[in-house]
Amino acid sequence: MSLSKTFSGMLLRTPKNLCFRRTFSVVNVMKNRETTHFGSNTVPKEEKQKLVGDVFSAIASKYDLMNDVMSLGVHRMWKSHFISKLDAGKRPNSTEPLHFIDVAGGSGDIAFGLLDHAEQKFNDTESTMHIVDINPDMLKEGEKRAMAQGKYYNDPRVTFLVQNGETLEDIPSNSKDVYTISFGIRNFTDIQAGLNTAYRVLKPGGIFFCLEFSKIHNPVINAAYQQWSKLLPIMGVLVANEHASYQYLVESIQRFPEQEEFKSMIETAGFKSVGYEDLTFGTCAIHWGIKV
């Protein structure tokens, strides 16, 4: 055997070279895996669901407090306006109840608000509600809320369901009249898949209604808002002993598409009459579309 071949064989067996080859192999594996964002980080697509789940398991019992901190309490007014604008409920001249689905709605605040509105305005005590969340801890908080309110707990009209909002595999196609999602769609691994599924489960004539943090276009107000956002993880530590979860939530807001881009995604899913309304200078927005 030649000296050059012997030296080459020795080189391939050196620990340093093996380390290089192993690292190179890992890099190639990562290149071949689909990735997505988790806040400001890039992660393998299949890992995001668990990472988001960990965030919401950590803050489930502090969910209302979290929203109060992040919005200075204004989220309550946004949600009230969201419910009033949708104005859903079985009309007196209708023979069929409405079938609602509230996705990523484990806390129950939007779902119960919708049912309350339907009863108070339309005397609707027949319409049904699926409260869907991928996180069992969040659904438990919704059940606790229902028990505390003395309403909607063990109500045959209300179903709590652990389910991935991107697929909703246990929800039949063309089965729902109203699909709502509030401050949840930005946490999806594949937002477009979630929108496509929303279209699938709605009946023709059904409405998609979404409330989500958005983009402020006034540069002065946006600059102040960005400075405020930097304080939120620190406040998360002070009020809830949570830094990483609040940091993710701030970054997830920053990564969410701006209003016109998200509108285009809703249209891509197949919805018509798509539109949106900015709230509080665009801090968040209500988006809607109709399945025809």
Side-chain angles (χ1 to χ4, degrees):
M1 181 182 293
S2 69
L3 182 63
S4 61
K5 287 183 179 179
T6 301
F7 181 75
S8 175
M10 291 172 61
L11 178 63
L12 288 173
R13 289 193 293 270
T14 61
K16 182 177 180 181
N17 190 259
L18 286 172
C19 182
F20 171 78
R21 287 158 64 194
R22 191 176 295 115
T23 302
F24 184 73
S25 176
V26 170
V27 169
N28 276 340
V29 168
M30 285 299 294
K31 282 183 178 179
N32 291 330
R33 295 170 76 181
E34 285 190 80
T35 59
T36 187
H37 61 83
F38 176 73
S40 61
N41 299 315
T42 299
V43 298
K45 205 168 185 178
E46 67 271 18
E47 292 181 11
K48 181 173 179 177
Q49 179 178 313
K50 181 184 182 303
L51 292 169
V52 172
D54 290 343
V55 167
F56 282 91
S57 289
I59 64 173
S61 62
K62 312 178 189 80
Y63 182 75
D64 287 333
L65 178 61
M66 176 204 75
N67 283 332
D68 283 332
V69 169
M70 295 188 74
S71 70
L72 295 176
V74 181
H75 76 100
R76 299 177 186 272
M77 290 186 287
W78 292 337
K79 290 175 178 177
S80 178
H81 178 64
F82 177 77
I83 290 167
S84 297
K85 185 179 182 70
L86 180 55
D87 198 28
K90 177 190 172 187
R91 272 33 179 190
N93 61 347
S94 176
T95 58
E96 291 293 327
L98 293 178
H99 298 291
F100 291 88
I101 182 168
D102 187 45
V103 177
S107 68
D109 54 349
I110 291 292
F112 301 152
L114 287 166
L115 291 175
D116 285 345
H117 179 89
E119 180 178 0
Q120 291 162 10
K121 186 166 182 181
F122 304 109
N123 282 324
D124 176 9
T125 58
E126 299 177 43
S127 292
T128 68
M129 174 68 71
H130 261 90
I131 302 173
V132 175
D133 204 295
I134 198 169
N135 191 303
D137 294 318
M138 288 297 297
L139 283 172
K140 287 176 185 175
E141 292 303 312
E143 292 175 335
K144 289 178 186 176
R145 186 191 296 266
M147 290 178 68
Q149 292 178 353
K151 197 174 184 181
Y152 305 127
Y153 186 73
N154 284 336
D155 184 331
R157 296 191 301 141
V158 178
T159 302
F160 291 89
L161 181 65
V162 177
Q163 195 94 137
N164 186 335
E166 294 176 31
T167 55
L168 296 178
E169 59 270 17
D170 291 337
I171 305 297
S173 299
N174 304 306
S175 65
K176 299 298 179 182
D177 297 287
V178 181
Y179 175 115
T180 56
I181 184 165
S182 173
F183 301 121
I185 202 163
R186 75 179 188 279
N187 298 308
F188 283 13
T189 301
D190 188 333
I191 293 172
Q192 189 63 61
L195 292 170
N196 296 345
T197 294
Y199 187 86
R200 176 184 67 77
V201 302
L202 281 168
K203 299 176 183 177
I207 185 167
F208 167 83
F209 223 59
C210 172
L211 178 65
E212 188 53 86
F213 285 108
S214 199
K215 298 292 186 290
I216 299 172
H217 294 298
N218 183 299
V220 175
I221 296 174
N222 184 55
Y225 177 71
Q226 295 306 321
Q227 291 303 310
W228 163 250
S229 295
K230 292 177 182 178
L231 297 175
L232 290 176
I234 299 171
M235 295 183 68
V237 174
L238 296 176
V239 303
N241 197 31
E242 273 292 330
H243 181 277
S245 296
Y246 279 77
Q247 184 66 42
Y248 160 72
L249 292 168
V250 169
E251 291 171 354
S252 70
I253 292 168
Q254 293 170 341
R255 294 296 299 264
F256 190 71
E258 58 89 26
Q259 290 89 321
E260 285 293 327
E261 183 182 352
F262 189 51
K263 177 184 176 184
S264 295
M265 294 174 72
I266 297 170
E267 290 171 333
T268 297
F271 290 101
K272 305 299 181 185
S273 302
V274 176
Y276 63 86
E277 176 189 358
D278 284 340
L279 304 180
T280 316
F281 308 107
T283 304
C284 74
I286 298 172
H287 290 263
W288 60 83
I290 307 292
K291 178 176 178 176
V292 297

